[in-house]
């Protein structure tokens, strides 16, 4: 996984949009973004490593989604547009990339700049509840991704608005980030 600040230049969301400013691990830690690299291997050893993380975080369910024209058909463009709208969730978002690649963009709390995380096969991330983020495929136009859930599989996005700014999960996230920033 590679993390950097996005540039503000117009263009296809699937392009790198690399500002040339790297984001250090310490900043991702402060934002609450957890990450691992678990190489995908033909023997399936990666599954036991993912299971260990899932067990430690009390994830009981999972599914695998194919984000690609071949997997989504006529809904591909609309789905990609929906995923790229800035939003938050009331639970963690945990993803393991099995094949392909894409971007998770998260808001840096103090500046509101986009931090772009370029994930490829073997990368796993956890985005905390309440963090503003979005997802896009890269120019490869494909990712096969395992999604993990504490309970039944669900994906409820709350698009950024004045209402989400006062959502209790957002407020808890802001307090947590401010606590890390003050103690750093």
């Amino acid at each position: 996984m590679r993390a950097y600040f996005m540039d503000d230049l117009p263009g296809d969301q699937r392009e790198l949009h690399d500002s040339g400013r790297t984001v250090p691990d310490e900043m991702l830690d402060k934002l609450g973004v957890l990450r691992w690299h678990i190489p995908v291997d033909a023997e399936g050893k990666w599954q036991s490593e993912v299971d260990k993380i899932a067990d430690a975080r009390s994830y009981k369910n999972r599914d695998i989604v194919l984000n690609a024209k071949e997997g989504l058909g006529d809904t591909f463009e609309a789905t990609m547009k929906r995923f790229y709208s800035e939003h938050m969730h009331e639970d963690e978002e945990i993803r393991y990339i099995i094949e392909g690649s894409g971007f998770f963009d998260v808001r840096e709390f103090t500046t509101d700049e986009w931090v772009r995380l370029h994930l490829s096969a073997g990368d796993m991330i956890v985005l905390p509840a309440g963090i503003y983020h979005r997802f896009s495929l890269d120019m490869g136009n494909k990712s096969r991704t395992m999604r993990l859930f504490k309970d039944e599989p669900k994906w409820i996005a709350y698009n950024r608005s004045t209402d989400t700014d006062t959502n209790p999960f957002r407020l808890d996230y802001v307090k947590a980030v401010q606590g890390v920033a003050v103690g750093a």
Side-chain angles (χ1 to χ4, degrees):
M1 183 192 80
R2 195 165 77 83
Y4 55 89
F5 285 101
M6 284 186 71
D7 63 31
D8 288 328
L9 301 175
D12 192 320
Q13 70 197 35
R14 299 169 305 150
E15 293 176 354
L16 287 177
H17 288 281
D18 189 343
S19 68
R21 295 172 25 228
T22 301
V23 172
D25 287 344
E26 296 79 21
M27 180 177 288
L28 296 176
D29 293 342
K30 287 180 181 181
L31 294 173
V33 176
L34 305 177
R35 60 234 174 259
W36 298 264
H37 183 75
I38 305 164
V40 178
D41 61 315
E43 298 81 32
K45 293 177 189 172
W46 63 268
Q47 293 182 30
S48 64
E49 293 301 313
V50 169
D51 288 345
K52 287 177 192 173
I53 295 167
D55 290 346
R57 302 193 68 76
S58 301
Y59 284 89
K60 298 178 187 97
N61 290 300
R62 61 188 71 186
D63 64 11
I64 295 176
V65 296
L66 176 61
N67 290 311
K69 193 137 186 111
E70 65 194 68
L72 296 170
D74 293 341
T75 65
F76 176 73
E77 294 299 334
T79 301
M80 291 300 102
K81 184 176 181 178
R82 183 172 47 117
F83 288 169
Y84 199 64
S85 295
E86 183 175 4
H87 62 278
M88 58 153 267
H89 304 287
E90 292 183 342
D91 48 6
E92 291 180 339
E93 182 163 334
I94 183 168
R95 302 292 185 263
Y96 175 72
I97 308 297
I98 299 168
E99 176 186 5
S101 50
F103 300 109
F104 278 91
D105 301 332
V106 298
R107 285 286 187 186
E108 196 283 326
F109 180 73
T110 58
T111 64
D112 215 32
E113 286 185 87
W114 282 114
V115 171
R116 178 153 266 201
L117 309 170
H118 193 198
L119 281 71
S120 56
D123 289 332
M124 184 176 202
I125 63 166
V126 174
L127 301 180
I131 192 172
Y132 286 128
H133 66 283
R134 61 190 182 191
F135 172 78
S136 176
L137 292 172
D138 61 13
M139 296 306 279
N141 276 328
K142 181 179 184 176
S143 78
R144 191 162 55 99
T145 304
M146 179 182 289
R147 306 182 309 168
L148 294 99
F149 305 93
K150 290 194 182 222
D151 296 309
E152 292 302 311
K154 67 176 183 174
W155 189 88
I156 301 172
Y158 298 91
N159 288 335
R160 188 171 186 175
S161 69
T162 54
D163 288 339
T164 55
D165 285 341
T166 59
N167 177 296
F169 291 88
R170 174 68 183 166
L171 295 175
D172 286 347
Y173 172 74
V174 169
K175 287 178 190 172
V177 171
Q178 287 175 332
V180 170
V182 171

